[in-house]
Amino acid sequence: MSSSKQQLLDQIKADILEMNICPDLAETATNLVMGDGNIDADIVFIGEAPGKNEDEQGLPFVGAAGKFLNEMLAAAGMDRSDVFITNIVKYRPPNNRDPLPEEKRAFWPYLLKQLQIIEPKVVITLGRHSMEYFLPDMKIGQIHGEAKRIQFGDHKIVIVPLYHPAAALYNGSMRQTLIDDFLRVPKVIEQL
Ligand code: URA
């Protein structure tokens, strides 16, 4: 099962290259960063876009925000091999600028395909850029940490929107809120 899942996931990467998605980003980026972790995971984390370290290593969340994410996973009794981690935009935007709406739109179908293959029970969005596609018109400040059930293709999926670890890293109160939300995630999942 997993090996054919891996082949399907590899095909998404090939499709992005073949379709020349976001050619401007592709030109300045070193790597197309597809994701990392367990393709049979129940939980998928979705960030914003690769940064400098991620672009260099070809893996998501390997810089400062990734270290913080790893610490929160450990505190919640998980590690990266228990979950799958990806981003909505899969090339690094120059100078780490915010991804543009058209960049998010261009990558969205490929993110959906990844989710259709992995079939997680829970999708955890990190920050507003990945949240807005699943929960349009909602404000992260109002709904962070809450499980939201949405119709996803022909089945329902649970979204838990969290603050982005990079935004929370150096902001004391947001950092504590993110840690508190994160530590509640196993309970949220248990109750599904
Ligand atoms: N921030 C993100 O949103 N994604 C990464 O992969 C790294 C930092």
Side-chain angles (χ1 to χ4, degrees):
M1 180 66 178
S2 287
S3 78
S4 70
K5 263 176 132 173
Q6 188 58 58
Q7 284 167 1
L8 292 168
L9 290 167
D10 291 345
Q11 187 58 47
I12 299 176
K13 180 171 188 174
D15 289 347
I16 291 172
L17 293 170
E18 161 105 22
M19 299 299 290
N20 201 15
I21 299 303
C22 294
D24 293 349
L25 293 185
E27 199 165 306
T28 53
T30 308
N31 276 297
L32 176 59
V33 182
M34 293 302 294
D36 182 36
N38 183 345
I39 62 174
D40 294 313
D42 286 339
I43 307 177
V44 170
F45 286 85
I46 306 173
E48 177 180 323
K52 187 171 189 290
N53 294 288
E54 290 76 20
D55 181 47
E56 282 167 7
Q57 295 182 42
L59 291 168
F61 284 98
V62 289
K67 188 165 171 274
F68 184 29
L69 180 60
N70 290 348
E71 285 166 13
M72 288 187 290
L73 282 169
M78 298 181 269
D79 69 31
R80 286 173 76 116
S81 63
D82 296 317
V83 301
F84 190 83
I85 303 173
T86 187
N87 286 302
I88 178 154
V89 168
K90 292 175 174 25
Y91 287 122
R92 180 191 183 200
N95 302 315
N96 298 348
R97 64 154 168 74
D98 278 358
L100 302 173
E102 57 266 32
E103 292 164 351
K104 289 182 269 184
R105 210 176 308 125
F107 276 109
W108 171 245
Y110 299 97
L111 176 61
L112 286 189
K113 281 188 199 166
Q114 285 181 301
L115 294 176
Q116 278 156 1
I117 294 164
I118 297 172
E119 292 191 297
K121 294 198 177 109
V122 179
V123 168
I124 300 185
T125 57
L126 299 171
R128 67 189 166 85
H129 290 286
S130 55
M131 183 191 88
E132 70 187 11
Y133 269 84
F134 295 97
L135 302 170
D137 305 323
M138 296 205 184
K139 295 258 177 291
I140 191 156
Q142 289 167 1
I143 59 161
H144 63 85
E146 293 175 19
K148 303 278 176 198
R149 235 174 249 274
I150 62 163
Q151 191 69 31
F152 190 75
D154 47 13
H155 55 274
K156 287 205 158 68
I157 190 165
V158 172
I159 310 288
V160 183
L162 299 185
Y163 283 126
H164 194 291
L169 198 51
Y170 304 111
N171 174 327
S173 67
M174 199 191 279
R175 181 187 170 95
Q176 195 53 50
T177 302
L178 175 55
I179 294 170
D180 293 345
D181 286 349
F182 210 104
L183 292 177
R184 275 198 301 272
V185 164
K187 188 138 272 138
V188 166
I189 292 170
E190 224 172 77
Q191 286 165 355
L192 292 178

